[in-house]
Amino acid sequence: QVQLVESGGGLVQAGGSLRLSCAASGRSSFPGAMGWFRQAPGKEREFVAAIRWSFGMTLYADSVKARFTISRDSAKNAVYLQMSSLKPEDTAVYYCAARLRGLESSTPQDYNYWGQGTQVTVSS
């Protein structure tokens, strides 16, 4: 069993920045990859970014590629999402996910564990 807990969400003005954190516990070994997804009301869960745990290769959705940065801290067993130049369309609940075996992926079905989510609201 793996527990993931997101934090760092909140209200921010358009053009501002925010950093999300995801702390993992209950792991016996490092995962293959971790990712961030988001979901707005009435919409499907959407891929945001992912990172390969071993070497740090990253994958981004086109909509956030120039503005968001995903990173991980192996010593702390944590993953982060640095968000800059935020837009109102970035408003959503952001979820952290862990894929125990496999490379970074944009497909939600590839991930085995999910956090409870943290709300990000961008005002105009």
Side-chain angles (χ1 to χ4, degrees):
Q1 59 278 6
V2 176
Q3 293 81 44
L4 304 175
V5 180
E6 303 95 334
S7 62
L11 176 64
V12 64
Q13 296 258 36
S17 62
L18 203 62
R19 189 177 81 154
L20 305 183
S21 300
C22 175
S25 62
R27 298 182 182 183
S28 59
S29 61
F30 59 83
M34 296 189 71
W36 288 95
F37 295 77
R38 65 188 183 186
Q39 188 167 24
K43 300 177 66 177
E44 293 185 343
R45 191 164 299 185
E46 175 188 35
F47 170 73
V48 177
I51 187 167
R52 191 184 309 179
W53 198 259
S54 58
F55 293 102
M57 286 78 166
T58 57
L59 184 67
Y60 295 94
D62 289 342
S63 60
V64 307
K65 189 173 183 178
R67 302 182 294 119
F68 291 10
T69 301
I70 187 172
S71 62
R72 91 283 197 224
D73 187 331
S74 297
K76 295 183 177 180
N77 209 21
V79 64
Y80 308 94
L81 184 68
Q82 178 65 51
M83 305 183 292
S84 300
S85 301
L86 284 163
K87 306 174 181 179
E89 65 180 8
D90 295 319
T91 296
V93 176
Y94 283 70
Y95 296 90
C96 175
R99 184 183 191 184
L100 297 187
R101 296 183 181 275
L103 305 179
E104 64 276 9
S105 170
S106 62
T107 304
Q109 293 89 331
D110 287 339
Y111 293 82
N112 308 104
Y113 296 94
W114 296 82
Q116 84 291 338
T118 185
Q119 177 71 47
V120 172
T121 302
V122 184
S123 65
S124 57

